[in-house]
Amino acid sequence: MARGQQERTVGSAAAQALPTRRAALAAVAGGSVLALLPDAARADATTGPARTQDEGFMREALAMAAEGDTPFGTVIVRDGQVMARGPNLTRRLADPTAHGEMVAIRRFLAARTPEELKGTTLYSSGEPCAMCMGAILWCGIDRVVYGASTQDLAARITRLPMPALTIATAMAQQAPFLKVEITGGVLRDEALALFETVKTKP
């Protein structure tokens, strides 16, 4: 094959391997820009096993839950240190967004920069709701550990039956920079005991 023909063949193959301008615009318009990214750049929402330190920090979250308007409590941890704590304050603050996770995030940011949230682990007595999971992802929190699952709590309180992993996966499909690891069931029975002894409202 002549050199000119080889160059045209190689160029044609390379062009076929890349998305065309029309395909790229169509992907953006259709909300599927993620499909244009290499696998390494894509978001990820996965489950992971419990770690040695998890029970100790979950006890801190349960202590916050015991102080809350409902038994949801949160601690945010970085490098083995609790950086912020938050009980559910929805009634005391008359604020339906003041879930334990949101209170802890706001308290963290009152003293530190948003960049410092990245790489942290959030511990919660109960599986985060859709609102809190969205905030966790946008803040760049690396890992979420919870005690009682949404399914566990469905028979005890009124809440949307949306597992955190489902929410995180749906968001990850649209936002390639979001990554989170989720571990559930840490001190589950102790977390559920709080919901048995404290009267809660939706």
Side-chain angles (χ1 to χ4, degrees), residues 55-98:
E55 286 196 5
F57 289 123
M58 183 57 71
R59 291 191 191 283
E60 299 256 12
L62 294 179
M64 283 288 96
E67 298 178 11
D69 293 341
T70 59
F72 289 95
T74 298
V75 295
I76 298 174
V77 175
R78 171 184 280 281
D79 298 328
Q81 299 292 322
V82 175
M83 308 301 286
R85 294 176 168 85
N88 180 294
L89 297 176
T90 52
R91 295 176 193 163
R92 274 172 277 183
L93 297 181
D95 179 356
T97 72

Side-chain angles (χ1 to χ4, degrees), residues 95-119:
D95 179 356
T97 72
H99 291 193
E101 298 94 328
M102 301 296 288
V103 172
I105 289 171
R106 289 166 181 163
R107 288 178 175 177
F108 185 105
L109 292 173
R112 298 172 181 84
T113 67
E115 284 298 314
E116 292 178 86
L117 267 175
K118 295 176 181 177

Side-chain angles (χ1 to χ4, degrees), residues 4-194:
Q5 290 177 312
Q6 288 179 326
E7 289 174 347
R8 284 194 297 272
T9 301
V10 171
S12 176
Q16 291 174 3
L18 294 171
T20 65
R21 182 180 179 184
R22 180 176 296 178
L25 291 172
V28 172
S32 58
V33 68
L34 189 65
L36 301 177
L37 298 172
D39 289 342
R42 296 187 185 185
D44 197 14
T46 61
T47 57
R51 302 178 188 177
T52 305
Q53 70 272 24
D54 286 348
E55 286 196 5
F57 289 123
M58 183 57 71
R59 291 191 191 283
E60 299 256 12
L62 294 179
M64 283 288 96
E67 298 178 11
D69 293 341
T70 59
F72 289 95
T74 298
V75 295
I76 298 174
V77 175
R78 171 184 280 281
D79 298 328
Q81 299 292 322
V82 175
M83 308 301 286
R85 294 176 168 85
N88 180 294
L89 297 176
T90 52
R91 295 176 193 163
R92 274 172 277 183
L93 297 181
D95 179 356
T97 72
H99 291 193
E101 298 94 328
M102 301 296 288
V103 172
I105 289 171
R106 289 166 181 163
R107 288 178 175 177
F108 185 105
L109 292 173
R112 298 172 181 84
T113 67
E115 284 298 314
E116 292 178 86
L117 267 175
K118 295 176 181 177
T120 59
T121 297
L122 181 146
Y123 291 83
S124 177
S125 58
E127 187 170 4
C129 70
M131 174 187 70
C132 294
M133 199 64 220
I136 287 165
L137 286 162
W138 285 116
C139 287
I141 292 171
D142 276 5
R143 185 168 179 253
V144 173
V145 182
Y146 65 83
S149 70
T150 296
Q151 185 175 3
D152 289 330
L153 299 176
R156 295 168 174 82
I157 62 173
T158 302
R159 76 181 310 193
L160 294 173
M162 297 176 66
L165 184 63
T166 300
I167 299 162
T169 300
M171 291 184 68
Q173 289 174 349
Q174 299 300 323
F177 52 85
L178 300 178
K179 294 181 183 291
V180 68
E181 179 183 317
I182 300 171
T183 300
V186 175
L187 298 185
R188 170 182 176 271
D189 291 341
E190 293 182 35
L192 286 174
L194 290 172

